[in-house]
Amino acid sequence: MKVEEYLRQNQESIAEQCKTIADNGSRAIITVKENGANYIHQVSTVEKFTETLPDNKFFKKMRDGINNAVLNKVIPVVIFERQKARITSLPDYFKYEE
């Protein structure tokens, strides 16, 4: 299964979790981690997630990507696969309104 398929299959649950965070006045961030042949996700606030990142040069690109997404009012999706991390936004088919 690809991460995009996982997001599609779980879009209702993820959208509800994002809405709950937005209703509480925060910005949501979605992390998706590879778990064997499957994925698991967590929806949290941008603030909580960025607090866990060390403030150093290594994580600067990730911080910048998250900040850019927030500035553009896009929910960042951080995908952890095979010892790598990448940041993307929700796919076009994902129905979520803030």
Side-chain angles (χ1 to χ4, degrees):
M1 173 186 300
K2 293 186 178 183
V3 71
E4 291 78 11
E5 293 172 49
Y6 176 84
L7 290 171
R8 182 178 294 125
Q9 289 178 1
N10 293 283
Q11 65 182 332
E12 270 187 46
S13 170
I14 292 170
E16 287 175 21
Q17 293 169 0
C18 289
K19 185 175 179 342
T20 299
I21 287 173
D23 287 349
N24 288 323
S26 294
R27 297 273 183 200
I29 187 169
I30 303 163
T31 54
V32 182
K33 295 181 183 180
E34 199 172 36
N35 184 23
N38 296 310
Y39 291 91
I40 54 173
H41 77 272
Q42 181 176 354
V43 179
S44 61
T45 67
V46 168
E47 296 80 13
K48 281 185 184 176
F49 181 79
T50 55
E51 282 176 6
T52 66
L53 297 177
D55 192 13
N56 61 31
K57 195 174 180 179
F58 183 78
F59 287 99
K60 182 178 182 343
K61 190 173 182 180
M62 182 177 285
R63 284 180 180 280
D64 290 347
I66 292 168
N67 289 335
N68 189 40
V70 169
L71 288 174
N72 288 299
K73 299 185 181 195
V74 174
I75 296 174
V77 180
V78 182
I79 302 166
F80 297 96
E81 294 176 300
R82 296 176 207 83
Q83 304 294 320
K84 293 183 181 179
R86 62 184 165 108
I87 300 174
T88 187
S89 59
L90 291 172
D92 291 338
Y93 61 78
F94 203 96
K95 298 192 177 14
Y96 173 77
E97 293 183 24
E98 212 169 318

